[in-house]
Amino acid sequence: MRPSVLLPLLAVALAPAAAAAQPITVTLRANRDAGIMGEDGTLANGAGTGFHAGVNNNGDERRALVRFPVGSIPTGSTVTSVRLRLYMSRANGNAVDIELHRINTPWSEGPADPTQGEGQGAPASAGDVTWTHAVYDTSLWGTPGGDVAAVASATQTIGTATQSYTWTSATMVSDVQAWVDGSAGNEGWMLIAPGAATADARRFESRESAQSARRPALIVTFTSPNPTGACCANDGSCTVVSAPGTDCTGSYQGDDTDCAPNPCPQPKGACCLPDAAATCELVTGQQCAIDGGAYGGDFTDCADAMCPVVLEPFVDPLPIPPIAQPVSGESGGAAEYEIAAVEFEQTLHSALPPSRVWGWDDGSGPVYPGPTIVARRDQTVRVTWKNDIRGPDGVPRTHHYLPVDSCLHGAEDAAKTVVHLHGGHVAAGSDGYPEDAYPPGQELVYEYPNGQQAATLWYHDHSLGLTRLNVYLGLAGTYVLHDDEEEALDLPEGEHDIPLVIQDRSFASDGTLQYPAMWMEHFFGNAILVNGRVWPYLEVDRGKYRFRVVNGSNARVYRLALSDDSAFEVIATDTGLLAAPVTVSSVLLGPGERVEVVIDFAGYDPATRVRLVNSAPAPFPGSPGEGVVPNVMQFRVGDQAGHTDALPGALREVSSLDPDDAAAERDFELARVEDDCGGARWLINGKEWHDITEKPQLGTVEIWRFVNRSGFTHPMHMHLVSFRILDRQEFAVLDGEIQPLGDPVAPPPEEDGWKDTVLVGPNQIVRVVARFEDFAGRFAYHCHTLEHEDHEMMRQFETVTTCGDGAVGRPVEDCDEGGGESATCDEDCTVPTCGDGTLNESAGEQCDDGKQEDGDGCSADCKDEPGGGDDGCGCRAGGGSRAAVWLAFLVLVAIRRRRGVSSAARPGGPAGS
Ligand code: C2O
Ligand code: CU
Ligand code: CU
């Protein structure tokens, strides 16, 4: 219990034991009211919702009668104050003085209810009061218009504002005193406006009013000869009532107790304090406000995990993920790595206990996000991706760490993982095929040839049905690819070149990462982490920084800006540099997308603090402000100069693809459908993962149109390829048909580069163009909202190739120069090698028996061995004569010459160019 709660109790204890009787205030409600009409004694208004006083437009007078039950005031009481409160609901004419006159003759309220014209009255029935009759039609007034005291008890000017008006006076006190004492009959008061001119009339709400607060009320304060005491109502309010508290609905505090100060226990409720411990306290609403908490309402209870963990921003420094260390070769070049997925504890905010996360260990220790792999164009990186996920007991996990929703296709309750290099142009067998996810104790060796331009790629888990959980737990890392052209640019580097992996998470107070057990359409955390730390800060030099921003969130889209609205430069999209820096004041980034920006802190005074902020609603696009977590991180400007060289005006020539070259244009409709198990799921063209309907021919260009028939933005991602955005077209749906609205719009300059993920807004068609090249096989394409991807907005395309089509299709083809085989590329589109059993004289082979050992007439380098085998050089396997092969070769050389095919001619684009 909080000490402050003790104070009121203490005050009661200290109150004088036998105080004088306390004044009691009661609010009495009229038990009789009516209106009478001067022009006709047969008209009445007893049961109407209002009554009138004054003179109407016809010059006819109106008077009103009202009476209150004073019987609840004990005999012998002394009345000390009386107030009559009426609500005036309609005014005519000018302000008018309305007098209260005590009525001397008993009258009654009858049933007449002039519902149409209240002021006009209705024909009187038996029991109504009228101008002539105190009770129609059995007893007359002594004086028509009512028998009242000649002198008014009180007068109140009634203006034209519709509101409550109050009459109070010493005479009213003596009127009520007389009624209580019984020295006069309680017949109430009549409202008379003697000075009213024609059309000065007022309507008041009667006890039949629909709004109880507007009904007539008499507030009487008195002291009782009986003992009095405080009565506490449930809501904590206090009234003094007569002993023994028959009027007390609540708890009577005892004779002579008092309401000042309020002794009543104030209602309490759950109050969530804004702290890392997610403290819930049971306090009064007032105390909750003092404590800066969020009050759940009176009588609410604290429940488990009811309060959010609230973390203070900008208390921890930004971690920079370590550079991955190879087991052979060197970082930044050709290298081999062994990297294990592991479970461990990491502090994600200094006010939280360490959280159990999944991350990667390259041998230097586990880290989330994983270590940054630094690679170089055309220098192969090979990674042995191990799964070494173990529970806290050190035993390899047989179940997932998080609850797995089995409604999802392929979702298994297993700690499986498979790694995808997002943005990487790699063979199918190294691409992280979702069905290849493997359990602890297993590994896969993946090869990244890096035959693509400098870019910020990222690697992350891609397990079928588990990606959202695995990435949420931390299986993500950055992959930085350099090339000569980029390095010649004098962009900020080293400590001024920093990856920022942005992810949203929610925590329990023990640091545990929170994620729902049941699939939901999208999950948004309430805290933003950068490089695995909640709302970190970075101390920066007064110069330029190259930030490689990765949106590694499950579902959250960010609109990133600086808190002072300063401009910054976008220099690269997902898979490469832009032609030139693009100056922006904000940039939109969906899950899976990357953007490289240069922020220049040279203009800030030392010690300035500027924040990276977000304004994108969640879900996106939503409505402004909805679901926004505004802070991302903070920059603290130091006094060192840093990188102050000018940003180059031109970055690199950005190639493009001609949409007219497209061999196919395909539509992909994005829509949600009902799902018996999970409630809903997301599909592309109504099809699922196993329906493979797109088979691009390797080497060809295709246009893909993503048609979003839903209310959410979907970040659509394609494996294998990089693409250029052609345009965005808004549309409406009329009778189920798509109707374009306006013209297609080209992408903004900051998106006009090579990409692998594109935001497709609601009712929007986005066209992208890509060349499918080099690698034959099955590759995923999907929405990168991980909840969508897992259920089941992920499909696959299959790149196909035929020998002789001029496009190399690895791994099945080593070469393909078009027109069939050639001197260096045989009929199977494989490069002839000694020992493959095919004689390739142009490759310098004199023989090839499919064996490479000596002693059979064919040497290890496919030269005839003098005095070798029985046929001299009869080592060629599979029959056929040398002459036939030679002839075929000559024919092919001739064909190649005619077509002018050169082995150097390769399709353009970011991957091969
Ligand atoms: Cu970044 Cu298929 O994913
Ligand atoms: Cu990818
Ligand atoms: Cu989606």
Side-chain angles (χ1 to χ4, degrees):
M1 183 182 281
R2 302 187 62 83
S4 55
V5 173
L6 291 168
L7 292 175
L9 299 176
L10 215 55
V12 170
L14 293 175
Q22 295 297 320
I24 301 176
T25 298
V26 291
T27 298
L28 305 175
R29 293 292 172 174
N31 63 347
R32 218 184 273 173
D33 59 21
I36 57 177
M37 295 83 204
E39 69 274 24
D40 189 339
T42 68
L43 292 173
N45 172 14
T49 56
F51 48 67
H52 295 73
V55 177
N56 73 9
N57 294 349
N58 300 330
D60 299 319
E61 188 176 358
R62 295 287 177 269
R63 293 181 180 180
L65 303 83
V66 61
R67 177 194 187 271
F68 296 88
V70 297
S72 60
I73 300 168
T75 328
S77 296
T78 305
V79 178
T80 54
S81 151
V82 172
R83 291 183 298 135
L84 170 68
R85 190 180 70 212
L86 297 178
Y87 187 89
M88 197 279 284
S89 53
R90 196 180 305 143
N92 265 345
N94 302 311
V96 62
D97 285 347
I98 296 189
E99 300 177 352
L100 286 190
H101 290 259
R102 197 165 96 190
I103 304 174
N104 298 324
T105 301
W107 54 280
S108 63
E109 177 183 339
D113 186 0
T115 46
Q116 299 308 317
E118 248 167 9
Q120 305 311 310
S125 306
D128 277 316
V129 57
T130 73
W131 193 265
T132 51
H133 286 78
V135 181
Y136 191 85
D137 62 348
T138 52
S139 64
L140 290 164
W141 294 113
T143 312
D147 305 331
V148 298
V151 179
S153 297
T155 305
Q156 176 64 46
T157 304
I158 309 297
T160 52
T162 53
Q163 60 180 52
S164 288
Y165 291 87
T166 302
W167 288 258
T168 185
S169 74
T171 313
M172 287 171 72
V173 170
S174 51
D175 290 346
V176 174
Q177 185 73 62
W179 297 336
V180 169
D181 294 348
S183 60
N186 172 16
E187 309 307 340
W189 290 288
M190 188 174 284
L191 278 69
I192 303 176
T198 294
D200 287 347
R202 293 292 180 276
R203 177 188 193 271
F204 297 92
E205 298 283 309
S206 77
R207 70 191 187 100
E208 285 87 5
S209 170
Q211 282 166 279
S212 58
R214 296 184 173 184
R215 293 172 191 160
L218 190 69
I219 301 111
V220 181
T221 304
F222 60 94
T223 51
S224 165
N226 306 327
T228 60
C231 170
C232 289
N234 241 347
D235 65 359
S237 64
C238 181
T239 45
V240 174
V241 299
S242 295
T246 46
D247 294 332
C248 181
T249 48
S251 70
Y252 184 63
Q253 301 296 296
D255 290 349
D256 300 320
T257 54
D258 186 4
C259 280
N262 185 344
C264 302
Q266 293 303 295
K268 292 181 185 167
C271 174
C272 286
L273 298 184
D275 60 18
T279 308
C280 182
E281 56 173 23
L282 215 48
V283 295
T284 63
Q286 195 186 5
Q287 186 61 45
C288 186
I290 293 169
D291 296 346
Y295 192 56
D298 291 348
F299 307 113
T300 53
D301 261 330
C302 285
D304 262 6
M306 184 176 84
C307 297
V309 172
V310 179
L311 299 169
E312 201 185 323
F314 320 130
V315 295
D316 294 315
L318 174 80
I320 313 281
I323 304 296
Q325 295 306 309
V327 288
S328 71
E330 52 181 301
S331 166
E336 310 227 2
Y337 296 85
E338 281 180 19
I339 304 180
V342 287
E343 178 175 317
F344 62 105
E345 289 192 336
Q346 183 169 309
T347 297
L348 305 182
H349 185 283
S350 54
L352 275 181
S355 306
R356 281 202 90 71
V357 297
W358 288 3
W360 275 292
D361 188 348
D362 63 356
S364 336
V367 60
Y368 149 64
T372 301
I373 298 175
V374 181
R376 183 160 202 91
R377 182 170 192 164
D378 294 328
Q379 308 224 353
T380 298
V381 161
R382 199 168 287 117
V383 184
T384 301
W385 292 108
K386 304 186 171 187
N387 182 342
D388 192 24
I389 298 174
R390 295 164 186 267
D393 50 6
V395 176
R397 275 198 177 275
T398 50
H399 293 279
H400 206 279
Y401 170 79
L402 288 171
V404 171
D405 188 335
S406 58
C407 289
L408 278 54
H409 173 212
E412 242 185 283
D413 183 12
K416 287 186 166 187
T417 183
V418 64
V419 184
H420 167 60
L421 176 60
H422 181 130
H425 182 63
V426 308
S430 289
D431 193 49
Y433 192 65
E435 293 184 53
D436 288 348
Y438 49 94
Q442 297 185 17
E443 62 188 42
L444 281 176
V445 182
Y446 277 2
E447 192 172 280
Y448 305 122
N450 297 315
Q452 60 189 102
Q453 64 188 20
T456 301
L457 313 181
W458 66 300
Y459 59 95
H460 62 78
D461 172 85
H462 219 300
S463 305
L464 196 65
L466 299 176
T467 299
R468 72 195 185 294
L469 307 179
N470 294 357
V471 173
Y472 188 78
L473 286 177
L475 292 182
T478 319
Y479 187 107
V480 172
L481 181 56
H482 292 292
D483 67 18
D484 296 345
E485 226 177 313
E486 169 237 5
E487 280 182 346
L489 282 172
D490 189 23
L491 292 168
E493 57 181 12
E495 58 175 319
H496 301 121
D497 176 0
I498 297 177
L500 301 177
V501 179
I502 303 180
Q503 301 176 306
D504 55 338
R505 300 288 184 262
S506 290
F507 298 95
S509 53
D510 65 356
T512 308
L513 285 166
Q514 299 294 101
Y515 192 90
M518 310 272 274
W519 178 84
M520 56 195 289
E521 191 138 76
H522 29 235
F523 177 76
F524 302 111
N526 57 17
I528 308 290
L529 285 71
V530 186
N531 296 348
R533 201 61 66 96
V534 177
W535 293 307
Y537 67 85
L538 174 68
E539 282 169 357
V540 292
D541 293 333
R542 298 178 65 209
K544 296 184 181 66
Y545 280 78
R546 176 184 190 176
F547 292 115
R548 303 166 179 270
V549 188
V550 178
N551 183 350
S553 304
N554 281 32
R556 191 179 282 279
V557 173
Y558 299 88
R559 180 170 286 286
L560 299 172
L562 289 165
S563 52
D564 64 351
D565 284 324
S566 285
F568 54 94
E569 311 288 328
V570 176
I571 59 165
T573 46
D574 298 332
T575 50
L577 290 166
L578 287 164
V582 176
T583 307
V584 297
S585 57
S586 75
V587 69
L588 194 64
L589 203 65
E593 287 189 299
R594 286 88 64 213
V595 69
E596 291 182 25
V597 300
V598 171
I599 301 180
D600 191 352
F601 298 100
Y604 292 100
D605 292 331
T608 305
R609 292 180 177 192
V610 59
R611 285 170 296 131
L612 185 64
V613 294
N614 163 47
S615 60
F620 193 80
S623 26
E626 182 190 344
V628 176
V629 177
N631 284 320
V632 177
M633 65 176 289
Q634 185 191 55
F635 301 108
R636 300 183 177 175
V637 182
D639 43 23
Q640 301 294 308
H643 179 106
T644 52
D645 294 354
L647 198 57
L651 297 170
R652 85 186 304 157
E653 209 174 306
V654 175
S655 56
S656 59
L657 294 172
D658 186 347
D660 291 341
D661 289 344
E665 177 152 359
R666 305 182 195 264
D667 277 6
F668 299 90
E669 284 208 2
L670 316 176
R672 178 174 46 198
V673 297
E674 306 250 302
D675 180 63
D676 287 344
C677 186
R681 63 189 168 137
W682 287 91
L683 293 178
I684 303 173
N685 278 351
K687 295 197 161 60
E688 300 177 357
W689 169 250
H690 283 299
D691 307 319
I692 304 175
T693 53
E694 288 76 35
K695 298 192 172 172
Q697 179 74 37
L698 268 194
T700 63
V701 171
E702 294 196 0
I703 294 173
W704 283 29
R705 295 171 15 116
F706 297 110
V707 182
N708 184 359
R709 277 180 177 257
S710 77
F712 299 125
T713 295
H714 301 271
M716 296 307 294
H717 171 51
M718 295 166 72
H719 287 212
L720 179 69
V721 302
S722 284
F723 53 71
R724 299 291 308 270
I725 303 172
L726 289 175
D727 46 39
R728 288 188 168 90
Q729 165 80 63
E730 306 293 327
F731 66 81
V733 178
L734 287 179
D735 295 331
E737 296 295 307
I738 284 173
Q739 309 283 335
L741 295 175
D743 294 327
V745 181
E750 69 271 22
E751 272 192 318
D752 201 12
W754 287 100
K755 287 182 62 63
D756 56 47
T757 307
V758 63
L759 286 175
V760 184
N763 282 21
Q764 197 174 67
I765 299 169
V766 178
R767 292 200 311 154
V768 302
V769 60
R771 185 189 299 277
F772 295 79
E773 56 190 345
D774 297 332
F775 303 109
R778 294 180 174 179
F779 296 90
Y781 65 97
H782 56 92
C783 172
H784 219 288
T785 298
L786 300 185
E787 284 74 24
H788 296 187
E789 168 178 342
D790 273 351
H791 192 47
E792 116 135 59
M793 211 171 204
M794 175 167 74
R795 298 187 58 206
Q796 44 189 327
F797 62 81
E798 183 170 2
T799 44
V800 294
T801 184
T802 14
C803 187
D805 65 3
V808 176
R810 286 174 271 169
V812 285
E813 296 178 346
D814 291 333
C815 55
D816 191 331
E817 295 171 337
E821 80 267 40
S822 72
T824 53
C825 188
D826 68 15
E827 302 96 321
D828 302 325
C829 283
T830 52
V831 175
T833 48
C834 180
D836 63 4
T838 305
L839 177 66
N840 292 103
E841 294 184 55
S842 61
E845 291 181 2
Q846 292 170 336
C847 59
D848 190 333
D849 58 359
K851 306 182 203 135
Q852 293 193 9
E853 73 276 23
D854 287 347
D856 61 354
C858 196
S859 73
D861 54 1
C862 286
K863 299 273 168 27
D864 278 343
E865 287 191 323
D870 33 9
D871 64 352
C873 187
C875 53
R876 224 184 137 254
S881 71
R882 293 176 67 177
V885 171
W886 182 239
L887 186 65
F889 168 66
L890 289 178
V891 169
L892 275 166
V893 167
I895 293 172
R896 279 183 60 227
R897 293 227 170 90
R898 262 211 321 279
R899 290 195 180 171
V901 176
S902 133
S903 62
R906 290 280 310 279
S913 60

